[in-house]
C-alpha cells in the first residue's frame, strides 16, 4: 500500500497542527523541554495548588515517576465546574439508549429532552450544568452512604447516564473506581473486587445490548457468593423492570436511596496530583490480570491534550467514541477527555449492529456527529454489511474518523475513508494501551500524509524506540523491532495496584531503561510507525485484550484437562480468534502430561464434541464470554523444548496453515507429536 492521504484544505485550514513544521517544532519542544511544554499546557487547568515541579522522573527505570508533584486538584472541577459560567448550557452528553420502541422510550419517559418519536431511539441530553448537578447529587449521596476518599468501588454496569455520573461522583469525592467490562464473568468480578479490596459495587439489574439482556446483578451475586469479604454494599441501578434478588443489608436500589435532598453543590475532595484516580484491570502475558493504576494530575492533562490535538477537537464538534466504559478508551475518551475538553459527546448504550448495521450512520445523521471513533473489528463488520447503510444516510457532519484497538488493515481503512468519510475525513489510527492512559502514536493528518495501516508518528512527549533482538536500539530511520518508550509521559500508569514491584518487573526489567509495550513495530523512512501487534503472549480478540496464560490456566483447572496451549488465529472480523490445544487426562487413571501419545481421547468422536463444548463454556464461565475459544482441539501431546516449554511458535504456524515451514525445530524434544498435529 503506497497510497498516502493528506487532509483536504478545509480540514488543514482550521487544524491545530496544520503543518509538518508545527508538528516537528512542538514535538521537539516536548522532548527538549518537557517541563516547559507540559507546564504551559497544565496552566490551562484549574488547580487548587500549583505544582512544585512539572516532572521529577529520575526513577523512570524503576517505573517510578511523578508529574506535577506538590499540585492539588480535583479532576471533576476541570470537567464541570470550570465550564458552568461560560458554557453551562452547552450540551455535554447526548445519551442514546439501546433499543427502538418500548425499552428505549420507556427509559426516557418524562426525562428532559427525551425524544419518543415512533421507532426512534430514546435520547437524553445533558448540558454541562445538568451533568454538574447529577454528579454533585451522586457525590453527596455517596458521601452520606459512607464512601470515603481512597475507597475502592467496582463498577459492573451498563452504558447509561447513572453509571457515568456515579463514576464522576467517585472522582468528585476521591473514591477510586474500578470498572469491570460487562463481558466478564462473576468469577472475574470476584477476582478483581478481591484484588483491590473493594468496599462497594455498582451494578444494574440488567443491561441491554442489542437483542440481549445482560444479567449484571446475577453475575455480581455470583461474584459475592463466596469470598469478596471487603464488599459491604451493592448499589443497583434499575435499568429495566426485571426482578432481581436483593440481599438484605447489602443490596440497595439506587433510585430508592438517592433522594432530592442530595441535590445541591458537592464540595470536591482536593486530591494530590499523584493520588489514585482509578484502577483498570488488563491482561498481560503471564498470570492474572493486573490492576493498572492511574493518578489524578498527569492523567487529566494527558487525556485532555491527546483528545484535543489528535482529533482536532473544537468547540462545535460532536464527538462519538463507540467504546465501552469497561475499557480505557471509555475512561479517557468518553468519561474524562470529552468533558475536560468542553466538547459535546455521544454515549451509546447498545451495539452498532442493532437493530441493523445502519445504526451508527443513523446516529451520526441524527446527532450530527463530526468526530467518530471506533475499532477496526467494527469497521470490518459494518463494511461487510454493504455500502447501502452508510450511503442511505447524511454523513456530511463528519470531519474526522478515528480507529483504535488493533492495526487497521488497508482494505477496511479505505472503506472507512471512502464510503463513510466520502474521501474528505482523515482517518486517525490511534495506537495506545490501558497503561499509557492516552494516545501514544497517531498521525496528524494536516501535518503529513497518512498511510493506510500506519499509526503515524509519536504524540508530544512520547519517545518511542525500536529494539532489535539483542535489545539494542535501532537508530537508522528504518527498522523493525520491539516497540519501547524511553521516557515518561504524564498519562503513564503509575503502578500495578497492590503490588509495588510488579510494575518494574513486568514493564521495565527485560530491557532495563525502557517501558516495554509488548508490541512489535516497523518504522519507515518517513518516521511513520506500523504496529504489527503483540509479540508477547497476549491476544486481541475483537479488540479485547486477553492473555493466553489466563485462558490456559482456566483450561488446566478443568478436571479433564492436564495441559493446554492457547494461540491466536487470524480472523477476518475479530482480528484474532482463540484456538486452544488441550491434552486430556483420564481422571480415573490420571496418566499425566508425560503420557503423550498414549491417550486415545483425541479425534472427532461424538464424545470429544461434547467435551469441546463443555470446555468452551467453562472458559466463558470462568473468565467471561470474551475469552471463549473458537476452537478446542484435543491432542495427545504438545510440542515442547527439552526444558519443557511449550513451543507456541510451532502451534501458531500450524493453526495458520503454515505447517510446511515450521522454522527451526531443533529445540523440539518430542518431534513425534508433530505428525498428529500437522
Ligand atoms: C493493545 C492495548 C488503547 C485502547 C484499546 C486497547 C493494541 C491498540 C492499536 C492500534 C495497533 C493497537 C496493541 C496494544 N492496539 N491500539 N491503533 N494499532 N495495535 O487497549 O486493551 O490496553 O490493549 O492493543 O497491541 O498493546 P488495551
Amino acid at each position: 500500500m503506497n497510497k498516502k492521504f493528506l487532509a483536504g484544505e478545509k480540514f488543514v485550514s482550521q487544524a491545530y497542527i496544520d503543518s509538518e513544521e508545527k508538528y516537528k517544532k512542538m514535538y521537539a519542544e516536548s522532548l527538549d523541554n518537557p517541563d516547559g511544554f507540559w507546564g504551559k499546557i497544565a496552566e490551562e487547568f484549574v488547580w487548587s495548588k500549583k505544582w512544585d515541579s512539572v516532572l521529577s522522573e529520575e526513577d523512570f527505570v524503576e517505573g517510578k515517576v511523578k508529574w506535577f508533584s506538590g499540585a492539588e486538584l480535583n479532576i471533576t472541577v476541570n470537567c464541570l465546574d470550570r465550564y458552568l459560567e461560560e458554557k453551562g448550557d452547552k450540551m455535554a452528553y447526548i445519551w442514546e439508549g439501546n433499543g427502538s420502541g418500548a425499552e428505549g422510550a420507556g427509559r426516557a419517559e418524562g426525562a428532559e429532552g427525551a425524544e419518543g418519536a415512533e421507532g426512534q431511539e430514546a435520547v437524553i441530553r445533558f448540558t454541562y450544568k445538568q451533568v454538574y448537578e447529577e454528579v454533585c447529587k451522586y457525590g453527596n449521596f455517596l458521601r452520606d452512604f459512607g464512601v470515603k476518599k481512597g475507597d475502592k468501588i467496582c463498577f459492573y454496569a451498563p452504558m447509561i447516564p447513572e453509571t457515568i455520573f456515579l463514576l464522576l461522583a467517585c472522582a468528585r469525592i476521591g473514591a477510586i473506581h474500578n470498572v469491570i467490562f460487562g463481558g466478564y464473568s462473576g468469577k472475574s468480578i470476584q477476582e478483581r473486587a478481591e484484588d483491590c479490596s473493594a468496599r462497594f459495587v455498582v451494578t444494574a439489574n440488567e443491561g441491554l445490548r442489542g437483542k440481549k439482556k445482560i444479567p449484571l446483578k446475577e453475575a455480581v451475586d455470583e461474584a459475592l457468593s463466596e469470598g469478596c469479604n471487603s464488599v459491604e454494599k451493592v448499589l443497583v441501578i434499575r435499568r429495566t423492570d426485571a426482578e432481581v434478588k436483593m440481599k438484605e443489608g447489602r443490596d440497595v436500589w439506587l433510585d430508592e436511596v438517592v433522594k432530592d435532598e442530595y441535590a445541591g453543590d458537592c464540595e470536591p475532595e482536593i486530591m494530590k496530583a499523584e493520588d489514585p484516580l482509578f484502577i483498570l484491570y488488563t491482561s498481560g502475558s503471564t498470570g492474572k490480570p493486573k490492576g493498572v493504576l492511574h493518578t489524578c494530575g498527569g492523567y487529566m492533562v494527558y487525556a485532555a491534550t491527546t483528545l484535543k490535538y489528535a482529533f482536532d477537537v473544537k468547540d462545535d464538534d460532536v464527538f462519538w467514541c463507540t467504546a465501552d466504559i469497561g475499557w480505557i478508551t471509555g475512561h479517557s475518551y468518553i468519561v474524562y477527555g470529552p468533558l475536560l475538553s468542553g466538547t459535546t459527546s455521544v454515549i451509546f448504550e447498545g451495539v452498532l449492529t442493532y437493530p441493523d448495521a445502519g445504526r451508527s450512520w443513523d446516529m451520526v445523521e441524527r446527532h450530527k456527529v463530526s468526530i467518530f471513533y471506533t475499532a477496526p473489528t467494527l469497521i470490518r463488520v459494518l463494511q461487510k454489511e454493504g455500502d447501502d447503510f452508510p450511503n442511505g444516510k447524511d454523513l456530511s457532519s463528519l470531519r474526522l474518523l478515528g480507529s483504535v484497538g488493533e492495526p487497521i488493515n488497508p482494505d477496511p481503512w479505505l472503506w472507512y475513508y471512502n464510503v463513510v468519510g466520502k474521501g474528505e475525513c482523515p482517518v486517525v489510527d490511534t495506537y495506545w494501551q490501558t497503561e499509557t492512559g492516552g494516545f501514544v502514536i497517531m498521525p496528524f493528518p494536516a501535518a503529513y500524509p497518512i498511510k493506510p495501516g500506519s499509526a503515524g508518528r509519536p504524540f508530544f512527549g512520547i519517545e518511542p524506540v525500536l529494539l532489535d533482538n539483542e535489545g539494542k536500539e535501532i537508530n537508522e530511520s528504518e527498522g523493525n523491532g520491539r516497540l519501547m518508550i524511553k521516557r515518561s509521559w504524564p498519562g503513564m500508569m503509575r503502578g500495578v495496584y497492590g503490588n509495588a514491584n510488579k510494575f518494574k518487573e513486568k514493564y521495565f526489567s527485560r530491557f532495563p531503561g525502557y517501558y516495554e509495550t509488548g508490541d512489535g513495530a516497523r518504522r519507515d523512512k518517513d518516521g511513520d510507525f506500523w504496529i504489527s501487534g503483540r509479540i508477547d503472549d497476549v491476544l486481541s480478540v475483537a479488540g479485547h485484550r486477553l492473555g493466553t496464560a489466563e485462558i490456559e490456566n482456566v483450561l488446566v483447572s478443568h478436571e479433564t484437562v492436564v495441559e493446554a496451549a492457547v494461540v491466536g488465529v487470524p480472523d477476518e472480523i475479530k482480528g484474532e480468534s482463540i484456538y486452544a490445544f488441550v491434552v486430556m487426562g483420564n481422571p480415573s487413571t490420571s496418566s499425566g502430561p508425560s503420557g503423550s501419545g498414549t491417550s486415545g481421547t483425541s479425534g472427532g468422536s461424538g464424545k470429544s464434541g461434547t467435551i469441546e463444548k463443555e470446555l468452551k463454556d467453562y472458559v466463558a464461565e470462568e473468565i467471561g464470554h470474551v475469552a471463549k475459544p473458537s476452537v478446542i482441539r484435543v491432542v495427545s501431546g504438545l510440542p515442547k523444548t527439552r526444558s519443557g516449554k511449550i513451543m507456541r511458535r510451532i502451534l501458531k504456524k500450524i493453526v495458520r496453515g503454515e505447517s510446511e515451514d515450521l522454522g527451526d525445530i531443533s529445540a523440539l524434544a518430542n518431534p513425534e507429536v508433530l505428525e498428529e498435529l500437522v
Side-chain angles (χ1 to χ4, degrees):
M1 177 60 56
N2 302 317
K3 258 188 136 161
K4 297 179 188 179
F5 297 82
L6 192 63
E9 213 171 286
K10 195 168 147 213
F11 186 92
V12 178
S13 66
Q14 55 80 62
Y16 290 122
I17 311 298
D18 57 0
S19 68
E20 187 156 12
E21 293 67 56
K22 183 151 186 197
Y23 166 70
K24 282 188 171 155
K25 189 169 162 269
M26 283 177 73
Y27 181 64
E29 196 203 335
S30 73
L31 296 192
D32 297 344
N33 179 13
D35 281 32
F37 184 86
W38 291 109
K40 192 167 147 223
I41 288 176
E43 295 283 352
E44 290 163 25
F45 292 79
V46 180
W47 304 82
S48 308
K49 182 169 169 264
K50 277 279 162 66
W51 48 89
D52 302 325
S53 63
V54 172
L55 165 64
S56 41
E57 78 155 27
E58 48 284 348
D59 285 338
F60 179 61
V61 294
E62 296 287 318
K64 287 186 188 136
V65 302
K66 284 196 173 116
W67 283 84
F68 309 108
S69 43
E72 292 176 354
L73 75 151
N74 184 289
I75 194 169
T76 67
V77 170
N78 285 277
C79 289
L80 302 168
D81 307 39
R82 74 162 148 157
Y83 294 124
L84 291 182
E85 211 161 290
E86 270 176 29
K87 44 182 173 183
D89 293 329
K90 179 177 174 167
M91 219 47 77
Y93 284 134
I94 303 171
W95 176 83
E96 174 152 327
N98 171 67
S100 43
E103 321 153 327
R107 174 65 179 71
E109 231 168 274
E112 216 176 308
E115 286 169 14
E118 210 169 310
Q120 210 179 4
E121 256 323 303
V123 172
I124 312 179
R125 297 189 160 80
F126 298 90
T127 62
Y128 272 86
K129 183 157 172 281
Q130 285 168 327
V131 176
Y132 170 82
E133 286 165 357
E134 293 288 328
V135 171
C136 282
K137 178 181 76 183
Y138 287 117
N140 289 332
F141 158 71
L142 288 177
R143 269 195 186 129
D144 193 45
F145 199 54
V147 182
K148 296 201 173 63
K149 177 178 178 180
D151 279 346
K152 269 73 69 183
I153 305 198
C154 285
F155 280 72
Y156 188 70
M159 295 279 293
I160 53 177
E162 289 89 334
T163 306
I164 309 285
F165 299 150
L166 281 162
L167 281 169
L168 290 161
C170 284
R172 184 86 178 172
I173 67 167
I176 303 166
H177 56 75
N178 166 19
V179 185
I180 302 164
F181 176 59
Y184 286 116
S185 66
K187 289 264 169 61
S188 292
I189 304 171
Q190 180 184 13
E191 224 171 75
R192 287 158 171 77
E194 271 177 358
D195 190 72
C196 74
S197 312
R199 274 187 75 203
F200 303 89
V201 176
V202 172
T203 189
N205 53 347
E206 260 187 339
L208 297 172
R209 288 186 55 78
K211 283 189 210 113
K212 284 194 212 143
K213 296 193 159 161
I214 318 287
L216 298 168
K217 173 66 166 55
E218 210 176 291
V220 169
D221 287 343
E222 191 199 324
L224 301 183
S225 63
E226 46 187 298
C228 272
N229 298 327
S230 60
V231 175
E232 294 165 27
K233 298 273 184 204
V234 178
L235 275 170
V236 186
I237 308 170
R238 204 187 302 271
R239 173 63 185 97
T240 67
D241 298 335
E243 301 264 350
V244 290
K245 277 192 220 127
M246 297 290 281
K247 188 172 169 184
E248 224 185 294
R250 187 196 70 183
D251 302 347
V252 181
W253 287 106
L254 188 76
D255 58 7
E256 287 177 8
V257 287
V258 181
K259 309 256 174 54
D260 289 347
E261 70 198 62
Y262 292 115
D265 294 344
C266 171
E267 200 53 40
E269 189 72 43
I270 300 308
M271 309 291 283
K272 293 200 174 73
E274 288 294 347
D275 277 344
L277 176 63
F278 65 84
I279 303 168
L280 189 57
Y281 282 78
T282 190
S283 297
S285 52
T286 52
K288 297 206 157 151
K290 299 177 292 282
V292 168
L293 179 74
H294 282 287
T295 54
C296 297
Y299 173 83
M300 169 179 82
V301 171
Y302 200 68
T305 309
T306 46
L307 181 61
K308 171 178 167 183
Y309 285 113
F311 288 165
D312 197 50
V313 174
K314 303 282 159 53
D315 202 44
D316 54 358
D317 273 310
V318 177
F319 173 55
W320 180 17
C321 165
T322 72
D324 190 278
I325 40 146
W327 310 113
I328 188 72
T329 315
H331 285 61
S332 299
Y333 302 114
I334 294 178
V335 179
Y336 292 110
L339 295 178
L340 288 167
S341 315
T343 190
T344 299
S345 67
V346 174
I347 302 175
F348 178 42
E349 177 184 31
V351 291
L352 299 187
T353 46
Y354 178 79
D356 61 36
R359 182 64 180 269
S360 335
W361 318 129
D362 183 47
M363 284 180 60
V364 167
E365 179 181 287
R366 277 189 288 112
H367 301 309
K368 304 215 170 8
V369 172
S370 57
I371 304 172
F372 180 69
Y373 184 35
T374 194
T377 184
L378 289 161
I379 298 168
R380 290 190 294 262
V381 168
L382 299 177
Q383 178 182 13
K384 237 185 158 168
E385 296 290 330
D387 298 359
D388 287 352
F389 286 109
N391 286 345
K393 293 289 166 189
D394 177 6
L395 305 182
S396 59
S397 55
L398 289 172
R399 66 180 198 93
L400 187 145
L401 301 170
S403 174
V404 62
E406 58 180 309
I408 170 164
N409 331 74
D411 184 55
W413 193 103
L414 288 168
W415 182 80
Y416 200 29
Y417 182 78
N418 287 318
V419 178
V420 178
K422 314 290 182 225
E424 282 178 10
C425 308
V427 172
V428 174
D429 177 12
T430 60
Y431 166 80
W432 59 299
Q433 310 178 300
T434 306
E435 294 88 338
T436 67
F439 310 144
V440 162
I441 296 179
M442 37 65 54
F444 284 103
Y448 52 86
I450 302 185
K451 302 163 188 165
S454 163
R457 304 180 198 170
F459 190 75
F460 306 128
I462 299 290
E463 188 180 5
V465 293
L466 297 175
L467 295 189
D468 65 16
N469 283 334
E470 272 75 57
K472 276 213 214 54
E473 281 185 28
I474 301 171
N475 287 321
E476 304 80 65
S477 66
E478 287 179 79
N480 200 335
R482 292 170 185 277
L483 178 62
M484 318 290 284
I485 303 176
K486 214 177 165 176
R487 59 164 80 207
S488 83
W489 63 100
M492 168 180 158
M493 71 184 272
R494 298 295 198 269
V496 172
Y497 182 78
N499 192 326
N501 301 324
K502 246 212 174 110
F503 187 32
K504 181 180 178 191
E505 193 187 299
K506 294 279 173 198
Y507 297 89
F508 290 90
S509 56
R510 268 203 315 165
F511 302 95
Y514 305 95
Y515 164 83
E516 186 178 359
T517 65
D519 288 302
R522 178 168 71 82
R523 187 176 50 219
D524 67 20
K525 60 177 182 355
D526 301 322
D528 288 313
F529 284 84
W530 302 72
I531 312 292
S532 56
R534 304 292 304 197
I535 36 182
D536 51 8
D537 293 316
V538 172
L539 307 180
S540 169
V541 181
H544 302 158
R545 178 167 157 187
L546 295 156
T548 53
E550 243 177 297
I551 305 169
E552 288 164 5
N553 292 346
V554 166
L555 285 167
V556 173
S557 75
H558 191 273
E559 52 175 9
T560 63
V561 175
V562 283
E563 262 192 316
V566 166
V567 293
V569 206
D571 179 290
E572 213 191 313
I573 296 293
K574 291 193 271 186
E576 220 170 12
S577 67
I578 302 168
Y579 195 114
F581 292 87
V582 294
V583 179
M584 313 290 291
N586 183 334
S588 51
T589 57
S590 184
S591 60
S594 56
S596 78
T598 58
S599 110
T601 42
S602 64
S605 71
K607 207 173 164 213
S608 75
T610 348
I611 190 68
E612 284 154 15
K613 182 172 182 308
E614 186 177 328
L615 291 176
K616 284 184 192 176
D617 291 344
Y618 182 64
V619 175
E621 219 168 89
E622 292 290 310
I623 305 178
H625 68 76
V626 285
K628 196 169 176 172
S630 306
V631 180
I632 297 268
R633 181 162 166 207
V634 179
V635 293
S636 54
L638 297 170
K640 287 189 184 164
T641 63
R642 262 161 259 283
S643 59
K645 264 194 150 174
I646 296 170
M647 293 180 75
R648 286 195 184 71
R649 183 170 58 76
I650 293 182
L651 295 173
K652 274 186 204 161
K653 291 251 176 191
I654 292 171
V655 300
R656 283 170 165 74
E658 297 164 4
S659 338
E660 262 89 86
D661 170 31
L662 289 181
D664 179 11
I665 55 164
S666 56
L668 185 63
N670 52 346
E672 68 279 1
V673 299
L674 290 185
E675 214 168 298
E676 178 196 342
L677 290 170
V678 176

